[in-house]
Amino acid sequence: MRYLPLLLLCAACAVQAQTPGQVVASGTVADEASKNAVLTRLREVYGADKVLDQITIGPVATPANWSTHVQKLITPGLKQVSRGQLKIDGTTVSVRGEVANEALRQRIASDFAGSLNPTYTVNNGLRVTANDQGVLDRTLANRIIEFESGQAVLTPSGKSILDEMSAAMLKMKGQKVEIIGHTDNVGLRTSNQNLSQARAEAVRNYLSGKGVPQDTLIASGQGPDRPVASNDTADGRARNRRIEFRMAQ
């Protein structure tokens, strides 16, 4: 019997807690109850505002107790996976993405296997995050690089963090780094987009002034499109106004 796959796609999810992204659930399930069970569990783990529902209902076959097993796979442990994909194709479970270390890579797959019955097969496609990305993440340490309100002018605390980031980047021997600016959703989207770009460029210029080769730094602005928290609270908006550093692909 052939089963149609359910894909749970995580764009820069959780893994680095400071930059969790949207979770996209897609595929075909047999009935409304199965769909609701999966979506409810995803929303419990990631938050309702992070889950995009692209699941359809159709005449497909599913293994016995399928939705129960799927719910067991959607655990907070998945939030430690970035750029991830969880694919459930009948009794075959495949997980891909990046994790911080080898122990975590093995533990996630082991936890999956332990939560399922023996008819299921788990394919572990997780890989350990490149070391340089780990250096950037540990140096930033979930801190927010602050700017003057509504401006692309770094505050003293923002400069202090960038002094640490520049020291880390100087050890990377010319590796390219993308500097990504983000804003909250207050105001016009176009203005936020422009501000996020200007702030990313301000960070690039500051790091360049500290000796990091400017041709290794790529500045881009994402505006309000990739929030990490609810924009309904002051704390959430503050968390969304941030600078992210990513090793360029």
Side-chain angles (χ1 to χ4, degrees):
M1 182 177 296
R2 182 175 180 275
Y3 304 111
L4 293 184
L6 171 68
L7 296 179
L8 307 177
L9 307 176
C10 309
C13 52
V15 186
Q16 287 118 19
Q18 72 272 24
T19 58
Q22 190 175 58
V23 177
V24 182
S26 66
T28 305
V29 297
D31 51 50
E32 191 73 30
S34 296
K35 175 177 176 176
N36 289 338
V38 171
L39 291 175
T40 296
R41 183 58 182 152
L42 280 172
R43 289 164 180 156
E44 288 174 352
V45 171
Y46 288 97
D49 60 329
K50 297 293 191 296
V51 179
L52 179 60
D53 171 21
Q54 294 184 352
I55 299 175
T56 60
I57 297 172
V60 297
T62 56
N65 300 315
W66 181 83
S67 64
T68 299
H69 287 302
V70 171
Q71 291 176 74
K72 291 179 180 178
L73 298 176
I74 304 170
T75 68
L78 282 180
K79 297 174 73 174
Q80 299 178 78
V81 181
S82 63
R83 302 176 185 178
Q85 181 188 82
L86 172 62
K87 179 179 180 181
I88 303 145
D89 190 354
T91 56
T92 299
V93 176
S94 302
V95 59
R96 291 168 24 189
E98 296 181 356
V99 293
N101 53 64
E102 178 62 22
L104 180 58
R105 190 187 81 84
Q106 295 184 25
R107 186 171 75 243
I108 289 175
S110 176
D111 288 347
F112 277 6
S115 68
L116 301 169
N117 67 42
T119 65
Y120 281 78
T121 299
V122 177
N123 296 324
N124 184 3
L126 296 172
R127 59 187 182 278
V128 177
T129 303
N131 184 57
D132 286 340
Q133 181 63 58
V135 170
L136 292 177
D137 294 339
R138 289 190 294 273
T139 304
L140 185 58
N142 293 339
R143 293 175 294 177
I144 299 295
I145 295 171
E146 295 180 342
F147 295 82
E148 299 294 341
S149 179
Q151 302 178 54
V153 178
L154 288 157
T155 65
S157 65
K159 292 178 181 178
S160 177
I161 295 172
L162 290 180
D163 289 342
E164 296 177 39
M165 296 301 295
S166 65
M169 291 179 186
L170 286 170
K171 299 176 182 178
M172 293 183 177
K173 304 183 186 298
Q175 295 271 29
K176 291 192 174 183
V177 176
E178 185 177 9
I179 303 163
I180 309 168
H182 303 273
T183 67
D184 58 30
N185 68 350
V186 176
L188 297 175
R189 185 182 182 283
T190 300
S191 298
N192 283 325
Q193 177 67 41
N194 292 339
L195 179 60
S196 67
Q197 181 69 38
R199 286 179 168 177
E201 291 173 359
V203 169
R204 179 184 62 188
N205 292 338
Y206 186 87
L207 292 171
S208 177
K210 292 295 180 178
V212 181
Q214 191 165 49
D215 61 359
T216 67
L217 302 172
I218 304 165
S220 66
Q222 297 292 324
D225 294 343
R226 290 173 54 191
V228 297
S230 171
N231 279 302
D232 294 334
T233 66
D235 179 67
R237 291 190 294 273
R239 290 175 58 197
N240 290 334
R241 298 189 296 268
R242 69 197 190 280
I243 293 291
E244 180 183 352
F245 297 90
R246 286 283 166 264
M247 297 304 300
Q249 299 299 310

